[in-house]
């Protein structure tokens, strides 16, 4: 049985008392994210060609793409930030920011039950000649849920 | 005669995990403990039917928030051996380094939780403070603090520059030195000796009989360590399993304390032995779809993990199974909980380092 | 007044004899009711007639001296014991009874027995007055309660042969014995009444006639006859040395020499009767008898006779080694039985240990022999009689409703038997909660022990500190069980309606008594107990209650207000929440999800400090320690002579 | 001022004192753990928030019993300062603590019940000491009231070093500090969840907190009894003792109930018992 009066934590506690605390005053003082930290997915609608590869490879099924309606949408709260979509995008429309995704409140659920964190882009249809032929890509409906 | 029934879990604050136990008490002596699992089943293994094998690794990583790197690694190693993909040497060493840093992180987290369970808040703070710095290393090198997503079938996604590796090693060694004062508290504090010493003693014979794994077995004097089989570059590391003989809760703490030092040393050896330079290959991409089946064993911080993968030549695997170390250690835990005090229950449960979420996937 | 006393002694015997012949409940019950009322009225009348005087002495009308009658009674008692003993193949009790008779006969035949002073046969002072009230009011309430209790008892225990005529008969004779005991001034007469109570308690304990209870009955008989033998020896010693047998004269002041030896022997008798260690086991065994028996033995009769005798001896023991040793027997018993009680699960046994502990306190107070401690002793007698009488009756009622004596099965009593719970709360609170009398008395005892010089004083205070805390622990456990709540079914709700009105009335009266007497503690101290203590020790005027009685009343009101608030609250709607079960399902009937599926009722068991306190060992240690002190006490008394 | 005025002042000032003490405690504890810690007035904010919350109860008797707990804690202080006998205070103090046990026990749920039982165990552990301490103080000073002890020329602590030592140990129980915080804990990572407050929320929890503030103030008043030469001296002694408690709280783990009972009894018996015995033997 060790000596009951010899508490090894006491000097440590006393030293802490006079030294600088290790914590931050969080909402007022925020440590910047490291370079290369994996945060939210950012999307450039201009370069996207709606190939749907990102949606098909996403393990969390967070990305929905509609070729007919020319929309690209992501559920930021479903996204697991693995970065696969960024890797597979041949047009480099997708990138990953270092910022972590925002906190969402229950009150942000929209009147139609839209989920918070739902982000959607829509590109107006250009003239028919602008659409490059993307042969071999299956119809949008069939590609869902890959 | 009437006895007290305590519903211990699934949502008990002393447990980091949804373990379910019915404790039957007299005074505070545990007469019987009735366990059950299945509370948190998430169906991750079933997801192989939907997620293609190339992305399944990211799902597998999410089996656990603490050994996430090792789960991803185990999956990739399994697929690599089915598809006969050779991992580039630097990638293999990087995996080993990350794996050992994971071990340090896991042990620190566990030590903190253990301290919290026996009511030593200050010690908990100290362990977790050091763990934060390890998580910073992960964030710098992999981009994520908990979920890293750097493992790919055939290698790793990111490189760590040689200068940064050297800096990490220095940082780890400094942390290791600083942690010695905290470690001494675990070893010498009389109030901790009162709570852990002689509590939940698992003899070597019992440990063998219930097939304990990892630190649980090593604290009972069994020199078992899956790293000794030498896969994943461990054959190039000098490694002596950390063992203790007392078999009580305190021994299990001490094993993990010593393994932190051991892991720092393994990281040092790896950095010395790995090929240096910029732009070395990190990934050999597999071709086609896998076909065949394989078992993979790894030594996670909690003990031996077992993966079974069966592929049938399609994009989706036919079967994926993971047997986590917690599952292997639950019989030992139940054995120890019977006959102990209620106040010992959290300590005994925690010293197997339970991850029920991994167990129930 | 003489006639009232004569009535109190003779009337219960007559009633008892009549009841013995009546086997029909429809005739017996009214007789019991009327007789009880008459006895209660007579005891109150006695006290009212007594007025404010100090001690008064009187004899029988016409100056009759009961010499031969006493001997006849003693022979009758001995014959009864011998017959019953031989019928049950027990030899020890008859031997002791015959030995005692032999002493009396020897004194009588050799002409050494001093004659009684015809004008000083009876002694009535404030202590007798307290005892008369305790016996006359609480004792009769217990008799009335027994009407309801015994009815249910025989219904739920059909194997036991009903002999209720005998039961009620003995109850009344017991009361007569007690009345005679507390007013006797001539020691041989007191001894006869003493033996009457011994035999009555023997018959009551053995009422069910199972091998188990017969064993306990003989244990009680043997131990009490041993005490009676001590009593007899004391008389012989006094007679032999021509000191006279006038109790009041002998106990007027500090004793020495032969008188002290006699006091030691009488104290020995008192210690056996008040079930102090090493003689505690007889009272524990008595717990197997029907509950009114326990109530009677514990609250108003039997054990109170023992402490009554010791309080009478108190002035004589004052300052002597014998007195200190008696104190340590009492306080040692208090400490050890409290340790045992902590580990006991049978509610009636907990109550029994608590009784022995409280009596230990009284014995401890009596041994020192100061007015302050005599005050404490009498106060405890009053409050203990009320609270413990109530508790035994309530436990009896609960036992007949829930078919259990196990404390653990009393949980959620407040939901299941709400009104009975309130009565139980009053009794439990009376035993250990702050403004109630026993705690006030304990506090006064500590104050008085502070004045005891030397190391003894320190030990006494240590015992008080630890003993009181142990008391808090075991009563607290019972309180938790009684106060807990859950939703109950309609069937469970109907159980309480089947309690007889006899039980409601008697238990309600006692509960009111507990509160009323606590509220009037200042009055009781000033008018009765204080003057008694001063006159017994011929001490100068002083105050005993070192606290504003008004403040106690305010505190009492607060303590009472809270249960009332709780009862009121329980009728209101409230924002109900399920209790915490670590995320399992739970409902208001206290059923929760079980680990392996399904559900189970919440079962909870109090702590019995296993591994820290070993009850059986504590009982043995206490018996040995107190036994050693007792032997030392008697030896010192004899040797100093 | 008359003693009665002190009593009334206690009712209003003790919560302020106790709350501030808790605030300082949390701040200092945080610094000892290397954290910044909450604002000084956080306990008061917490109390306010608890009082605003919806009060959900398992059964209707919890609230009256908890009110009794607060009431008798306050009454103990009032009686103490207004000149009631010290030994009697020890009994009232125990009564106040008992109400908390009953409130938790009445819930009849596994965790509250176990917490209540453990609280009974620590009551059993601490109560002998308080009776003994009060008796010893009365013996030393010959006085029986607070004012009387303060007027005594004897410095009680010098005569009762053993009692002072045991007080430091037993105060750990009453202040709910590690290693003796077995029946409840300020953060619920213990085997009993939150011990006897597990099933209390909102207003109920506010009562418990408030009663604890009274209790802290009462312990401070006890310390003044031991350092009876002047009130500032007593306050200083309490501040030092409290600082020690906080330091030990942050340097030990929670003990098991058996150890709490054994060590407290042993300390009471050896230190205070020995002290009292010496006192009696020497005062002959």
């Amino acid at each position: 049985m060790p000596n009951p009066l010899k508490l090894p934590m006491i000097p440590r506690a006393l030293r802490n008392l006079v030294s600088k605390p290790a914590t931050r005053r969080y909402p007022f003082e925020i440590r910047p994210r490291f370079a290369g930290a994996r945060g939210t997915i950012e999307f450039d609608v201009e370069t996207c060609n709606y190939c749907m590869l990102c949606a098909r490879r996403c393990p969390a099924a967070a990305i929905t793409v509609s070729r007919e309606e020319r929309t690209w949408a992501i559920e930021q709260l479903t996204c697991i930030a693995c970065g696969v979509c960024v890797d597979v995008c041949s047009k480099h429309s997708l990138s990953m920011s270092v910022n972590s995704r925002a906190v969402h409140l229950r009150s942000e659920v929209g009147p139609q039950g839209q989920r918070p964190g739902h982000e959607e882009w829509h590109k107006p249809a250009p003239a028919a000649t602008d659409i490059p032929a993307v042969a071999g890509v299956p119809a949008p409906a069939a590609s869902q849920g890959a | 005669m009437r006895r007290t029934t305590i519903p211990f879990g699934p949502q008990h604050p002393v447990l980091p995990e949804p373990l379910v136990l019915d404790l039957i008490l007299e005074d505070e002596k545990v007469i019987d403990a009735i366990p059950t699992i299945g509370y948190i089943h998430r169906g991750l293994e079933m997801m192989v039917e939907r997620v293609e094998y190339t992305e399944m690794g990211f799902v597998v990583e999410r089996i656990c928030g603490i050994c996430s790197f090792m789960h991803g690694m185990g999956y990739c190693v399994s697929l690599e051996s089915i598809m006969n993909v050779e991992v580039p040497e630097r990638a293999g060493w990087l995996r080993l380094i990350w794996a050992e840093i994971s071990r340090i992180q896991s042990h620190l987290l566990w030590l903190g939780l253990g301290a919290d369970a026996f009511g030593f808040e200050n010690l908990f703070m100290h362990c977790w403070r050091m763990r934060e710095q390890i998580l910073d290393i992960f964030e710098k090198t992999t981009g994520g603090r908990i979920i890293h997503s750097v493992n790919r079938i055939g290698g790793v996604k990111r490189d760590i520059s040689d200068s940064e590796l050297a800096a990490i090693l220095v940082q780890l060694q400094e942390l290791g030195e600083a942690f010695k004062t905290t470690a001494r508290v675990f070893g010498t504090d009389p109030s901790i000796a009162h709570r852990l010493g002689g509590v939940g003693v698992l003899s070597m014979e019992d440990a063998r009989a219930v097939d304990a794994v990892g630190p649980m077995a090593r604290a009972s004097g069994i020199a078992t360590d899956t790293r000794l089989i030498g896969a994943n570059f461990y054959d190039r590391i000098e490694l002596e399993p950390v063992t203790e003989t007392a078999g009580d809760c305190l021994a299990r703490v001490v094993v993990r304390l010593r393994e932190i030092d051991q892991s720092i040393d393994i990281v040092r050896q790896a950095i010395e032995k790995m090929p240096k330079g910029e732009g070395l290959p990190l990934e050999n991409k597999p071709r086609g779809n896998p076909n065949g089946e394989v078992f993979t064993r790894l030594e996670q911080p909690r003990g031996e993990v077992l993966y079974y993968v069966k592929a049938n030549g399609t994009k989706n695997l036919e079967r994926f199974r993971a047997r986590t170390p917690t599952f292997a250690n639950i019989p030992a835990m139940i054995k120890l909980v019977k006959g102990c005090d209620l106040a010992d229950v959290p300590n005994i449960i925690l010293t197997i380092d339970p991850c029920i979420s991994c167990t129930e996937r | 007044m003489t006639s009232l006393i004569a009535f109190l002694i003779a009337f219960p015997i007559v009633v008892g004899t009549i009841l013995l012949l009546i086997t029909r409940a429809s005739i017996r019950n009214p007789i019991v009711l009327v007789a009880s009322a008459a006895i209660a009225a007579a005891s109150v009348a006695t006290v009212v007639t007594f007025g404010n005087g100090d001690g008064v002495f009187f004899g029988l009308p016409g100056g009759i001296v009961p010499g031969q009658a006493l001997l006849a009674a003693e022979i009758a008692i001995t014959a009864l014991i011998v017959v019953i003993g031989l019928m049950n193949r027990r030899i020890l009790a008859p031997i002791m009874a015959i030995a005692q008779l032999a002493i009396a006969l020897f004194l009588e035949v050799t002409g050494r027995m001093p004659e009684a002073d015809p004008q000083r046969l009876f002694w009535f002072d404030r202590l007798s007055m307290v005892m008369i009230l305790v016996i006359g009011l609480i004792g009769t309430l217990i008799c009335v309660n027994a009407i309801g209790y015994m009815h249910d008892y025989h219904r739920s225990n059909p194997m036991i042969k009903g002999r209720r005529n005998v039961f009620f008969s003995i109850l009344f004779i017991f009361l007569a014995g007690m009345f005679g005991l507390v007013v006797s001034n001539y020691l041989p007469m007191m001894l006869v009444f003493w033996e009457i109570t011994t035999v009555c308690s023997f018959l009551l304990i053995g009422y069910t006639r199972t091998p188990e209870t017969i064993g306990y009955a003989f244990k009680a008989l043997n131990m009490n006859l041993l005490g009676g033998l001590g009593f007899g020896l004391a008389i012989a010693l006094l007679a032999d040395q021509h000191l006279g047998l006038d109790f009041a004269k002998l106990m007027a002041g500090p004793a020495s020499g032969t008188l002290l030896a006699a006091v030691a022997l009488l104290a020995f008798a008192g210690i056996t009767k008040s079930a102090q260690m090493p003689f505690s086991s007889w009272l524990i065994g008595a717990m197997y008898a029907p509950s009114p028996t326990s109530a009677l033995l514990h609250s108003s009769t039997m054990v109170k006779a023992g402490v009554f005798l010791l309080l009478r001896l108190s002035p004589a023991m004052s300052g002597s080694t014998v007195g200190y040793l008696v104190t340590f027997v009492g306080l040692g018993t208090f400490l050890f039985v409290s340790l045992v009680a902590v580990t006991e699960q049978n509610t009636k046994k907990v109550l029994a240990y608590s009784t022995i502990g409280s009596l230990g306190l009284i014995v401890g107070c009596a041994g020192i022999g100061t007015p302050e401690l005599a005050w404490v002793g009498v106060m405890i007698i009053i409050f203990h009689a009320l609270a413990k009488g109530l508790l035994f009756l309530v436990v009896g009622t609960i036992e007949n409703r829930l078919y259990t004596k196990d404390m653990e099965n009393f949980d959620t009593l407040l939901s299941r038997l709400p009104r009975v719970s309130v009565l139980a709360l009053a009794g439990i609170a009376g035993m250990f909660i702050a403004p109630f009398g026993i705690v006030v008395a304990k506090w006064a005892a500590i104050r008085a022990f502070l004045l005891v010089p030397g190391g003894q004083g320190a030990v006494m205070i240590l015992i008080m500190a630890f003993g009181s805390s142990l008391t808090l622990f075991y009563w607290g456990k019972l309180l938790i069980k009684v106060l807990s709540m859950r939703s109950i079914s309609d069937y469970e709700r109907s159980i309480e309606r089947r309690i007889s009105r006899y039980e409601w009335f008697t238990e309600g009266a006692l509960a009111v008594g507990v509160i009323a007497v606590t509220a009037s503690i200042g009055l009781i101290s000033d008018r009765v107990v204080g003057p008694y203590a001063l006159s017994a020790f011929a001490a100068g005027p002083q105050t005993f209650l070192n606290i504003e009685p008004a403040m106690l009343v305010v505190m009492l009101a607060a303590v009472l207000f809270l249960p009332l608030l709780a009862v009121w609250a329980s009728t209101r709607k409230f924002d109900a929440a399920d209790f915490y079960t670590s995320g399992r399902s739970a409902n208001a009937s206290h059923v929760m999800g079980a680990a392996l599926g399904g559900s189970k009722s919440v079962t909870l068991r109090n702590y019995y400090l296993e591994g820290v306190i070993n009850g059986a060992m504590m009982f043995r240690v206490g018996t040995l320690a107190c036994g050693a002190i007792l032997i030392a006490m008697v030896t010192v008394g004899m040797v100093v002579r | 001022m008359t003693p009665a005025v002190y009593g009334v002042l206690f009712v209003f000032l003790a919560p302020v004192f106790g709350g501030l003490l808790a605030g300082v405690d949390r701040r200092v504890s945080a610094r000892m753990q290397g954290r910044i810690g909450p604002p000084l007035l956080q306990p008061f904010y917490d109390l306010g928030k608890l009082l605003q919350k919806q009060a959900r109860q398992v059964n209707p008797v919890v609230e009256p019993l908890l009110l009794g707990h607060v009431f008798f804690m306050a009454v103990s202080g009032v009686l103490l300062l207004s000149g009631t006998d010290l030994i009697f205070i020890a009994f009232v103090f125990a009564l106040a603590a008992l109400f908390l046990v009953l409130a938790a026990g009445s819930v009849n749920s596994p965790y509250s019940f176990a917490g209540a039982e453990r609280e009974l165990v620590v009551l059993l552990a601490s109560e002998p000491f308080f009776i003994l301490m009060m008796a010893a103080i009365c013996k030393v000073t010959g006085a029986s009231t607070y004012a009387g002890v303060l007027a005594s020329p004897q410095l009680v602590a010098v005569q009762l070093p053993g009692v002072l030592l045991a007080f430091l140990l037993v105060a750990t129980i009453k202040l709910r500090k590690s290693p003796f915080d077995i029946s409840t804990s300020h953060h619920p990572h213990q085997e009993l969840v939150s011990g006897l407050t597990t099933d209390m929320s909102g207003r109920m929890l506010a009562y418990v907190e408030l009663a604890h503030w009274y209790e802290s103030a009462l312990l401070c008043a006890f310390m003044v009894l031991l350092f009876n030469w002047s009130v500032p001296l007593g306050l200083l002694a309490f501040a030092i003792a409290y600082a020690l408690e906080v330091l030990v709280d942050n340097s030990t783990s929670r003990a098991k109930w058996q150890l709490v009972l054994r060590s407290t009894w042993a300390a009471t018996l050896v230190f205070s018992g020995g002290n009292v015995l010496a006192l009696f033997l020497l005062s002959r």
Side-chain angles (χ1 to χ4, degrees), chain B residues 79-356:
Chain B
L79 268 290
E80 283 152 12
S81 55
I82 289 179
M83 302 172 84
N84 288 319
V85 179
E86 183 80 13
V87 179
E89 194 175 357
R90 187 169 171 93
W93 283 111
L94 283 173
R95 275 186 182 171
L96 187 145
I97 289 170
W98 272 318
E100 290 306 318
I101 298 178
S102 285
R103 194 180 313 279
I104 299 171
Q105 185 267 124
S106 173
H107 282 355
L108 283 172
L109 176 132
W110 177 82
L111 287 166
L113 287 176
D116 204 28
F118 55 71
F120 208 142
E121 197 182 359
N122 203 354
L123 205 51
F124 158 70
M125 294 288 173
H126 278 91
C127 294
W128 278 44
R129 181 177 311 157
M130 181 171 157
R131 172 177 173 263
E132 280 302 305
Q133 293 165 354
I134 308 282
L135 292 184
D136 283 352
I137 293 175
F138 270 121
E139 190 179 343
K140 276 181 204 156
T141 55
T142 69
R145 295 172 77 78
I146 302 293
I147 301 292
H148 312 300
S149 304
V150 283
N151 273 307
R152 294 287 191 273
I153 299 167
V156 295
K157 172 83 193 307
R158 295 194 188 194
D159 197 1
I160 313 177
S161 70
D162 290 337
S163 58
E164 201 173 346
L165 276 173
I168 288 171
L169 180 60
V170 171
Q171 193 186 352
L172 283 179
Q173 283 169 337
E174 282 172 359
L175 281 176
E177 281 305 308
F179 189 68
K180 282 206 164 66
T181 52
T182 309
R184 202 175 60 239
V185 175
F186 277 104
T188 61
D189 187 286
S191 64
I192 294 177
H194 162 63
R195 288 304 297 272
L196 301 183
V199 168
V201 179
L202 186 69
S203 68
M204 196 197 270
E205 296 74 41
D206 287 345
R208 281 193 209 287
V210 295
D211 287 330
V213 298
M216 188 84 184
R218 293 198 281 277
S220 295
I222 303 172
T224 166
D225 193 327
T226 320
R227 288 176 288 183
L228 294 176
I229 62 174
N232 306 312
F233 293 76
Y234 277 105
D235 50 350
R236 306 201 208 164
I237 297 284
E238 283 168 26
L239 173 75
E240 188 67 35
V242 175
T243 56
E244 289 281 326
T245 50
D248 58 358
C249 287
L250 195 57
R252 297 193 271 278
V253 168
V254 173
V255 163
R256 289 179 174 102
L257 285 171
R258 289 172 55 198
E259 283 187 6
I260 291 177
D261 287 341
Q262 186 194 39
S263 291
I264 293 173
D265 187 59
I266 293 174
V267 172
R268 178 191 60 77
Q269 293 184 43
I271 291 175
E272 281 170 8
K273 289 173 184 169
M274 71 194 291
K276 312 282 190 301
E278 298 286 317
L280 291 172
L282 292 173
E283 204 176 344
N284 289 332
K285 290 213 162 136
R287 295 181 182 282
N289 290 334
N291 197 352
E293 63 179 334
V294 70
F295 275 105
T296 307
R297 296 163 67 198
L298 285 184
E299 183 73 8
Q300 278 191 346
R302 298 183 163 101
E304 181 186 312
V305 66
L306 201 70
Y307 300 95
Y308 168 70
V309 176
K310 185 175 184 193
N312 54 7
T314 64
K315 281 181 178 172
N316 293 82
L317 299 175
E318 189 176 317
R319 182 72 93 201
F320 169 75
R321 292 278 293 160
R323 194 211 66 172
T324 56
T326 301
F327 189 78
N329 277 334
I330 283 180
M333 177 192 85
I334 298 301
K335 183 180 174 59
L336 297 183
V337 162
K338 286 180 192 172
C340 75
D341 266 6
L342 175 60
D344 300 331
V345 172
N347 296 330
I348 290 172
I349 291 177
L350 277 165
T351 49
I352 77 159
D353 198 357
C355 184
I356 302 299

Side-chain angles (χ1 to χ4, degrees), chain A:
Chain A
M1 182 72 194
N3 181 356
L5 295 177
K6 206 170 167 191
L7 300 173
M9 203 64 186
I10 283 184
R12 195 73 193 276
L14 290 175
R15 193 151 14 100
N16 284 341
L17 195 60
V18 290
S19 49
K20 194 171 163 290
T23 50
R24 274 180 292 275
R25 297 177 181 278
Y26 166 63
F28 312 109
E29 197 183 314
I30 296 172
R31 170 179 70 72
R33 299 291 297 258
F34 295 113
R38 287 182 293 111
T40 49
I41 299 294
E42 290 183 349
F43 177 61
D44 178 16
V45 74
E46 292 306 320
T47 52
C48 179
N49 65 354
Y50 299 94
C51 69
M52 304 182 68
L53 207 55
C54 52
R56 215 175 65 201
R57 297 289 292 273
C58 177
I63 299 172
T64 346
V65 183
S66 168
R67 175 176 287 182
E68 288 84 26
E69 295 170 19
R70 301 172 68 80
T71 53
W72 189 94
I74 183 167
E75 305 292 341
Q76 291 285 13
L77 293 188
T78 309
C79 169
I80 60 173
C82 63
V84 164
C85 52
V86 180
D87 291 351
V88 299
C89 185
S90 55
K91 292 285 178 185
H92 302 292
S93 304
L94 288 162
S95 60
M96 198 170 231
S97 94
V98 296
N99 297 317
S100 55
R101 64 186 171 214
V103 172
H104 293 279
L105 304 176
R106 190 185 290 261
S107 58
E108 288 174 35
V109 178
Q112 272 83 45
Q114 293 102 322
R115 298 172 62 188
H118 177 86
E119 287 172 11
E120 191 170 317
W121 282 267
H122 176 69
K123 190 156 65 172
T129 50
D130 288 355
I131 303 175
V134 199
V137 175
S143 72
Q144 289 292 313

Side-chain angles (χ1 to χ4, degrees), chain C residues 447 575-577 580 606 611, chain D residues 54 56-57 85 107 117 199 262:
Chain C
R447 291 213 57 87
D575 197 358
Y580 181 83
N606 276 308
Chain D
Q54 186 188 12
R56 301 199 67 197
Q57 287 162 264
D85 187 281
V107 173
E117 290 290 313
D199 289 296
R262 285 202 185 109

Side-chain angles (χ1 to χ4, degrees), chain C residues 375-400:
Chain C
W375 180 90
V376 171
V378 180
M379 279 294 186
I380 299 181
I381 287 188
I382 298 171
F383 290 107
H384 180 263
L386 278 164
K388 200 49 77 60
L390 171 60
L391 274 175
F392 269 111
L393 296 185
V394 167
V395 169
T397 300
I398 296 171
E399 184 195 330
N400 273 343

Side-chain angles (χ1 to χ4, degrees), chain C residues 226-254:
Chain C
L226 188 65
L229 206 54
F231 204 126
L233 282 173
I235 290 176
L237 201 60
L238 291 169
D240 188 51
Q241 301 293 320
H242 306 293
L243 289 168
L245 295 173
D246 190 313
F247 197 29
K249 278 186 186 157
L250 291 172
M251 300 304 147

